[in-house]
Amino acid sequence: MIFFSRAIAGAVLLAGFGASACPCVAEGRGYALEPAAWSDLPGDERPGEALALWRKTCRKVPVAPNLPELSAPAWRKACSAAQAGAADVFRRHFQPYRVVPDTAPDSFFTGYYQPEIPGSLTQSREYPTPVYGRPPDLVATSQLPGLTAARRGNDGLEPYPDRAAIDDGALDHLRGLRKLVYLRDRADLFLAQVQGSARVRLPDGRVYRLGFAGRNGQPYTALARILVQRGVATPAEMTMPRLIAWLRAHGLQKGEEGDELLRQNRSFVFFEGAIDRDAKQPEGASGAALTPLRSIAVDKAMWPYGLPFLIDAALPWRGDAPEPFRRVMIAQDTGAAIVGPGRADIYFGLGDAAGLRAGALRHHGQLYLLLPKE
């Protein structure tokens, strides 16, 4: 996913609504939900796009233990209406709530895309860097403080090796670990890991598609933020291409500046892969194919997949200048850098043009959660 991460939070309760008047203002979960009227919200210029996307997955009711306001019967009723071909389902069957994190009045939006990078199915001097499949000893867990995954050892669960240890060979002799494809260098690998997927262009012209298959559970560190703090560039200037160029220019061999910076991000992503025979859009972590400018990555600890949201923000989504972006979006993906209730990462699509637009997005605005009405 995106490489820029900012903590966004805020608590500004809507006058006239308290815990007794609105059960959607809950204490202790990091955010409040403020009821809003559809008549006060901007309209989506193409609402049918979002409805068509939501209709494909709505039969699966989201599991949301931390969101008691989500009614399964109301969800099924709305889904049935959508499946029957009803129009304006979101306005008729959903109530919008503005997401207000605990320490700021708005939300923060970034963008991501699926890059295309060169690679090979065989290791060579030109393509020395392996892309690892999911290790057989990697398990998801919440038992180790600060970690989301671990390895199962002889004495139980233990922290999975971080990026530095993996780069130094910690997995070299792990039985059953697959090397899917080989890339030019660790900068290209980092690009694929940050975006969560990639299209690898092979020497014979075929495309090998990489998709997210897990990560080592270690904390994510935004390398772009470190370079901004060092004065290398301003936040607006620190795009993904500039970060990748800096890494290469400052050396990726052990002990060089680029290598040392990479090691500060302890998170490491593993992939699944296959030859792409029809140039499809990648699948998100939800298992559903992503749709450009309709799919978003969210914090999975906060929001279950399948939830619809409305974004109202001024974003440079079609050109260099910010302009209104008012769309219903579907939560279909997640990312290590997408943390907190007021964070959404907008999927822009495939290739360099999508990457240019995605990399320019670091903007504030309003995020509305859409919940089905009883």
Side-chain angles (χ1 to χ4, degrees):
M1 302 310 156
I2 198 69
F3 59 101
F4 246 91
S5 173
R6 290 179 59 176
I8 309 297
V12 180
L13 298 182
L14 187 64
F17 287 96
S20 59
C22 175
C24 297
V25 178
E27 298 292 336
R29 61 183 180 185
Y31 64 92
L33 295 177
E34 294 182 356
W38 279 111
S39 58
D40 295 332
L41 298 180
D44 187 322
E45 73 276 16
R46 295 178 180 175
E49 292 181 353
L51 181 58
L53 179 58
W54 183 74
R55 185 187 294 124
K56 294 178 182 178
T57 59
C58 69
R59 286 192 176 94
K60 182 178 180 180
V61 180
V63 178
N66 297 324
L67 192 62
E69 301 86 358
L70 177 58
S71 165
W75 180 278
R76 295 190 185 98
K77 181 179 178 181
C79 184
S80 295
Q83 299 294 335
D88 213 13
V89 169
F90 292 122
R91 284 182 174 265
R92 290 176 179 272
H93 291 271
F94 284 79
Q95 167 66 45
Y97 296 91
R98 189 168 75 96
V99 177
V100 187
D102 280 351
T103 57
D106 58 13
S107 294
F108 185 65
F109 305 108
T110 48
Y112 72 110
Y113 72 110
Q114 187 175 69
E116 182 170 298
I117 52 183
S120 173
L121 295 177
T122 57
Q123 193 171 31
S124 65
R125 180 177 296 180
E126 186 178 4
Y127 300 110
T129 304
V131 176
Y132 292 118
R134 184 183 177 94
D137 61 347
L138 179 69
V139 294
T141 182
S142 58
Q143 298 179 27
L144 301 180
L147 304 179
T148 59
R151 73 188 322 173
R152 195 176 300 281
N154 295 330
D155 299 322
L157 295 179
E158 57 188 44
Y160 214 83
D162 65 7
R163 178 179 298 275
I166 293 173
D167 286 344
D168 288 340
L171 303 183
D172 285 355
H173 303 292
L174 179 62
R175 183 175 299 176
L177 179 64
R178 296 179 59 209
K179 296 179 180 179
L180 304 176
V181 69
Y182 298 88
L183 307 180
R184 292 177 298 184
D185 55 30
R186 289 161 57 217
D188 275 348
L189 175 61
F190 177 73
L191 173 61
Q193 291 178 323
V194 167
Q195 301 301 332
S197 65
R199 291 164 53 84
V200 179
R201 182 68 65 176
L202 303 176
D204 61 7
R206 291 181 300 167
V207 169
Y208 190 89
R209 187 170 63 187
L210 294 174
F212 179 87
R215 65 187 189 94
N216 62 347
Q218 295 282 354
Y220 179 91
T221 298
L223 302 187
R225 183 192 299 145
I226 294 176
L227 292 184
V228 168
Q229 291 170 346
R230 292 180 183 177
V232 172
T234 67
E237 295 169 339
M238 187 47 69
T239 62
M240 176 58 84
R242 184 158 185 172
L243 173 59
I244 296 299
W246 190 96
L247 289 171
R248 290 197 173 110
H250 289 78
L252 296 170
Q253 298 300 313
K254 189 171 181 179
E256 296 183 312
E257 275 192 278
D259 168 74
E260 292 298 329
L261 182 64
L262 275 175
R263 288 168 180 261
Q264 292 192 50
N265 180 17
R266 300 174 63 189
S267 176
F268 194 94
V269 172
F270 304 103
F271 293 94
E272 58 185 7
I275 296 294
D276 188 353
R277 302 189 185 281
D278 46 16
K280 290 181 179 178
Q281 296 288 343
E283 291 184 354
S286 66
L290 301 177
T291 299
L293 300 175
R294 288 294 177 181
S295 299
I296 55 173
V298 295
D299 186 344
K300 184 60 168 59
M302 297 281 179
W303 312 116
Y305 300 135
L307 285 178
F309 291 83
L310 172 68
I311 290 178
D312 179 16
L315 308 175
W317 62 288
R318 287 190 292 202
D320 294 337
E323 59 181 294
F325 185 91
R326 295 161 176 169
R327 291 191 167 205
V328 175
M329 313 290 286
I330 311 300
Q332 294 185 310
D333 208 355
T334 192
I338 311 306
V339 178
R343 282 289 280 114
D345 209 18
I346 300 172
Y347 177 66
F348 272 75
L350 306 173
D352 293 343
L356 180 65
R357 297 272 63 88
L361 225 68
R362 293 183 291 277
H363 292 67
H364 292 262
Q366 301 302 332
L367 180 67
Y368 293 86
L369 171 65
L370 307 184
L371 290 177
K373 296 184 289 188
E374 292 288 356

